[in-house]
Structures are given as C-alpha cells and as structure tokens.
Amino acid sequence: DLMLPGIDGFEVCREIRRRGPTPVLMLTARADDVDAIVGLELGADDYVTKPFNPRALVARVKAILRRTAATASGARPIEVGPLRIDPRRREAHVDERRLELRAREFDLLAALARDPGVVLTRDALLEDVWGTDFPGETRTVDVHVAELRKKLGDDGPPIETVRGLGYRLVQPGRAPLPREA
C-alpha cells in the first residue's frame, strides 16, 4: 500500500527490489496514473487500485507468480557475446561491467537475449514483460529499449529496431542494420 504509516509504499518497493526478485503487487487507494507509473517504474509487477474485484486480484497474483516461476525455471545464465544474464541472481554484465537495470529493463533484456537475432514485436514484449493486462501503450517498450541501449553501451550487443515490427538483440558476428536518421 502506498499510504503506509512511517514509510510509503514506494520506499517499501525500493527496499524489496534491493533485496532480490520478490514479486511486488501494489494495492492502494491512490488511483492517479502518475502513482501507478512511478510504482511500476520502481519495479512493482502490478498496480491495483481500491475498490477492486477480489477474483481479478487473485488472477493478477496468479499471473505474477506464473511469470516469476517462468523466470526462475529458466535459471540458466544467458550469454550473447559479451553480455551475460543470470536470471536467478537477476544480474546482467557486459564483460566485467555490471549493468544497473530496473526490474522491467532486466526482464526486457532477458526476453530479447533468450532468442538473439529473432524479432520480437512490441505486443509480444509487452505480454512477456508487463503481462497481458498492461494498461499502457506499446511505446512503453520503445522507452525501455532506449534506456537499455544506453546501459549496454558500445561494448554490449546492439538492440536493433526492425521498423514496423519490433526489436531484436543482434547476434555476435552479425553487424546491425544501419540506423535511420
């Protein structure tokens, strides 16, 4: 809940994220879009406002648990060139440099790295990373990809835009397509 006495829910979420990959669902009376966006950007897996349908809440919790179980079951490290992703530790490195990624950035990078060279549509990435009931727009993926590109830097494998479709992580040994101006 965002309106806890003494410490707000945003700070609780930050602390949970610092400690590991525990699923987080924010359940609060604060229905402002800005609060939901901040909560999701801090790493919450979902944001539900009061009043809520108890059956819908149970369905959301089950969806979060399915996603986190899928991440845990695919616990083998993923390597794409100099990029190494450890899903169990929720850490990513380019060579020896640790990437400081937010929860969604990590999930997005892992989704792209599971199938390097394969184009993933924005809709597919939204469903995989944000879940089927994400209220935002597909352009959210674009913003997160831009942040990932900055964090990967020149040493990491490039994320290529496939115009009109989505994105792919470029396989080692394959040059990315030239960027459009």
Side-chain angles (χ1 to χ4, degrees):
D1 195 331
L2 294 183
M3 298 183 288
L4 297 171
I7 182 171
D8 72 8
F10 292 135
E11 190 56 38
V12 171
C13 184
R14 279 187 199 96
E15 184 59 31
I16 290 171
R17 282 293 166 239
R18 273 189 217 115
R19 294 177 184 212
T22 304
V24 175
L25 181 138
M26 291 188 167
L27 178 63
T28 182
R30 289 172 58 175
D32 188 29
D33 285 344
V34 172
D35 291 326
I37 291 166
V38 169
L40 294 168
E41 287 294 322
L42 287 174
D45 296 287
D46 203 349
Y47 189 98
V48 178
T49 58
K50 298 174 186 175
F52 59 90
N53 179 316
R55 292 180 67 193
L57 178 64
V58 169
R60 287 171 180 262
V61 169
K62 286 180 180 179
I64 291 169
L65 294 175
R66 270 194 313 273
R67 285 196 304 271
T68 55
T71 300
S73 68
R76 288 192 185 124
I78 304 166
E79 292 187 32
V80 180
L83 174 66
R84 181 176 169 85
I85 300 171
D86 186 340
R88 288 183 55 199
R89 289 190 170 90
R90 294 199 50 92
E91 292 179 356
H93 293 81
V94 172
D95 292 323
E96 298 301 315
R97 178 176 56 95
R98 183 176 177 179
L99 302 178
E100 296 299 325
L101 302 175
R102 293 180 174 165
R104 299 286 184 186
E105 292 169 344
F106 180 88
D107 294 340
L108 179 59
L109 184 58
L112 290 165
R114 279 193 291 269
D115 287 313
V118 174
V119 177
L120 298 175
T121 66
R122 287 176 181 88
D123 288 333
L125 288 167
L126 272 175
E127 184 171 331
D128 187 17
V129 176
W130 282 265
T132 56
D133 54 358
F134 178 68
E137 297 184 24
T138 59
R139 293 297 175 197
T140 298
V141 175
D142 301 342
V143 172
H144 282 76
V145 165
E147 286 300 311
L148 276 178
R149 285 177 171 150
K150 288 179 196 171
K151 291 179 179 184
L152 286 168
D154 294 333
D155 301 332
I159 299 173
E160 183 177 86
T161 300
V162 180
R163 192 171 172 163
L165 288 176
Y167 299 98
R168 72 172 142 224
L169 194 66
V170 176
Q171 293 176 312
R174 181 181 165 268
L177 295 174
R179 283 199 174 179
E180 295 182 26

